[in-house]
Amino acid sequence: MSFTLPELPYAYDALAPYMSKETLEFHHDKHHQAYVTNGSKLLEGSGLEGKSLEDIVKESYGKNQGLFNNAGQHYNHIHFWKWMKPNGGGKSLPGKLQAAVDSDLGGFDKFREDFLAAGGGQFGSGWAWLSFKDGKLEVTKTPNGENPLVHGGTPLLGVDVWEHSYYIDYRNARPKYLEAWFDNLVNWDYVEELFEAASK
Ligand code: MN3
């Protein structure tokens, strides 16, 4: 088995002005493609061929750093494209997710504030996350290509804070990117779908 690059689920210009066509062309066609190409090479002979991507991420963590970096980023980006949609964002979450955000995270405003702080506070490259762990929602951040899978959680929403995700559109203003992303692009229906599956 080898990794394959998924198509974007929308047109390259569909997320403008919050994320430009140019950013998506570089981010999807160059950066994600590189994780797919390099990850596929490193998977060969690793002993993890034939496993699911989730298992490859978990089992390479701490053992095969090169494969982990690429497999982790492949997993993260497959979801990242689906975590966005045109006319996304907004304050109205699907019902089950809203109830869990209220009980576990202190409501929408507190969740938004904590999620943006996690993304803004990640020093250097990495991701901010909403994940489901031990029966509860939690907000965390990870460096580089790491994700909640390797910490016993299920990722429900993640935002890429590597500079390649925002530098063309926002230059160094990561907080502006995070606010625009959260308020205008998040596909909450996909987050709910992952939450339903994780909390069964
Ligand atoms: Mn990226």
Side-chain angles (χ1 to χ4, degrees), residues 93-108 111 114 129-140 153-157 188 191-192 194-196 198-199:
L93 306 188
K96 189 177 169 188
L97 183 65
Q98 179 67 60
V101 163
D102 287 343
S103 64
D104 298 344
L105 301 177
F108 181 87
F111 159 50
D114 289 348
W129 299 100
L130 171 69
S131 58
F132 186 68
K133 185 181 174 184
D134 301 329
K136 285 180 64 170
L137 295 181
E138 65 176 21
V139 172
T140 58
T154 304
L156 303 181
L157 177 67
W188 292 113
V191 179
E192 171 90 347
L194 295 173
F195 181 46
E196 290 275 1
S199 60

Side-chain angles (χ1 to χ4, degrees), residues 27 31 35 73 77 127 160 162 164-165:
H27 199 173
H31 291 275
Y35 303 132
Q73 285 289 63
H77 287 78
W127 293 73
D160 190 347
W162 290 53
H164 63 231
S165 195

Side-chain angles (χ1 to χ4, degrees), residues 105-184:
L105 301 177
F108 181 87
D109 290 342
K110 178 74 165 64
F111 159 50
R112 179 182 179 278
E113 184 185 317
D114 289 348
F115 188 89
L116 297 186
Q122 171 56 39
F123 184 77
S125 297
W127 293 73
W129 299 100
L130 171 69
S131 58
F132 186 68
K133 185 181 174 184
D134 301 329
K136 285 180 64 170
L137 295 181
E138 65 176 21
V139 172
T140 58
K141 58 182 192 281
T142 58
N144 303 316
E146 209 173 289
N147 67 43
L149 283 178
V150 301
H151 301 293
T154 304
L156 303 181
L157 177 67
V159 64
D160 190 347
V161 301
W162 290 53
E163 286 183 347
H164 63 231
S165 195
Y166 62 89
Y167 218 83
I168 291 170
D169 300 323
Y170 300 89
R171 295 302 168 189
N172 60 328
R174 191 195 288 181
K176 279 203 174 116
Y177 154 67
L178 287 169
E179 284 185 15
W181 187 88
F182 195 92
D183 294 340
N184 301 284

